[in-house]
Amino acid sequence: MRVWTSFAAACALAIGAGGVAIAKDEAAPAVKSITQMSPAELEKVRTAGAQILFWSDAQRAANFRAMEAQFPGTTAQHGTPRALPKGEPLAITDAEVEAFMAAQNVAGLMVIQDGKVRLEKYGLGMKPEDRWTSFSVAKSFTSTLVGAAVKDGFIASIDDPVTKYVPELKGSGYDGVTVKQILTMTSGVKWNEDYTDPNSDVVKMLSVPVGPGEDPNTAYLKTLPREAEPGTKWVYKTGETNLIGVIVQRATGKTLTEYAQEKIVKPAGFEG
């Protein structure tokens, strides 16, 4: 299955550094990060960012297959795909698996053990070559890219202040917060991640109007107050996953797509 992956974010509405798709054999579209979007495109992103958590099941089933229509992004090209051979089938009937997937509204299910595929099924009309948004899988990618940036010398230390890489956060609640504290979501900055609250930060994080070249997620984070000393309180924050993407881009001078293609996509043998 080809997976639409928002490397900059915890979920599809988190595109502070631009969404990323992994192309299979088609040519890559023109590069477009959020800081390169037109005012009309930014408005579309703000609207989708505010609405995505409240989509109906039918809207999710339609939009999760092609999130680039809602959130324009950039495309990484795969290298040599890593083979995933078939393994011994699980001791479970197709009927049982299909009943579970239907009850849970599952689009795709795969079980891999020791590098072999023991189960692979699709629902909601999906096929193996289709794409589906990966949501919080993005956290694993962005955090891995921080490690790569440290190894490559782009980030001197995860104990560096965030403002070293994102200076526009100076004077905000992020003054004195380290990259490590962003990675561990212990910045001490106040945040509401309630997906059912239309006034929560996770809904409003792309809502700040910005000028050309500005990142709306960073602009929103800059407005938030501090509620605890950095490093003392853990709060799940999608906005800070986006911020990690911005840090990596600023430190490396590359888009997340470019750096992920180099450090993850090709070495790992992604097919799509």
Side-chain angles (χ1 to χ4, degrees):
M1 172 183 279
R2 288 186 284 174
V3 182
W4 170 262
T5 311
S6 300
F7 276 94
C11 59
L13 67 147
I15 59 164
V20 176
I22 310 300
K24 194 167 184 179
D25 295 310
E26 63 272 20
V31 172
K32 176 163 287 189
S33 71
I34 198 165
T35 56
Q36 297 171 312
M37 292 181 191
S38 68
E41 289 171 322
L42 282 171
E43 182 57 37
K44 183 178 182 180
V45 166
R46 281 195 290 270
T47 300
Q51 294 175 347
I52 185 173
L53 294 174
F54 307 102
W55 282 345
S56 66
D57 284 346
Q59 288 174 307
R60 292 187 182 115
N63 292 334
F64 287 178
R65 303 165 195 255
M67 290 297 281
E68 70 275 24
Q70 305 296 326
F71 302 101
T74 53
T75 301
Q77 294 296 309
H78 68 76
T80 302
R82 184 184 298 268
L84 285 176
K86 295 289 186 182
E88 183 71 22
L90 294 179
I92 187 170
T93 66
D94 287 347
E96 289 174 299
V97 175
E98 289 163 5
F100 165 78
M101 292 178 67
Q104 300 298 323
N105 214 28
V106 175
L109 180 63
M110 180 180 284
V111 177
I112 300 176
Q113 184 178 30
D114 298 328
K116 296 181 179 180
V117 179
R118 299 195 62 189
L119 176 70
E120 183 175 359
K121 291 282 185 182
Y122 299 97
L124 304 181
M126 299 289 289
K127 300 181 294 298
E129 65 272 15
D130 290 336
R131 293 173 298 159
W132 193 260
T133 184
S134 65
F135 287 96
S136 285
V137 172
K139 292 182 176 65
S140 298
F141 286 108
T142 52
S143 58
T144 297
L145 293 177
V146 169
V150 170
K151 183 178 180 181
D152 290 345
F154 292 118
I155 294 176
S157 168
I158 58 173
D159 293 319
D160 283 349
V162 172
T163 51
K164 177 179 178 180
Y165 304 98
V166 192
E168 59 264 45
L169 289 175
K170 289 179 180 178
S172 74
Y174 287 92
D175 248 341
V177 174
T178 66
V179 173
K180 180 179 180 179
Q181 288 160 348
I182 301 298
L183 283 166
T184 56
M185 297 185 181
T186 59
S187 67
V189 173
K190 191 174 183 180
W191 180 267
N192 179 354
E193 185 84 11
D194 186 347
Y195 300 131
T196 65
D197 180 0
N199 292 310
S200 67
D201 296 305
V202 73
V203 172
K204 299 193 304 182
M205 66 184 178
L206 299 178
S207 63
V208 177
V210 295
E214 291 185 275
D215 173 57
N217 179 78
T218 304
Y220 184 77
L221 294 180
K222 190 165 57 175
T223 70
L224 301 177
R226 181 176 289 177
E227 64 173 354
E229 281 300 306
T232 64
K233 182 178 181 180
W234 179 86
V235 177
Y236 188 95
K237 300 184 182 83
T238 288
E240 291 188 351
T241 299
N242 294 357
L243 182 57
I244 286 295
V246 174
I247 291 168
V248 171
Q249 289 197 136
R250 298 287 182 83
T252 63
K254 303 176 182 181
T255 66
L256 281 178
T257 307
E258 293 167 333
Y259 202 49
Q261 177 173 295
E262 174 187 342
K263 297 297 178 179
I264 300 176
V265 174
K266 289 191 173 182
F270 284 22
E271 180 183 14

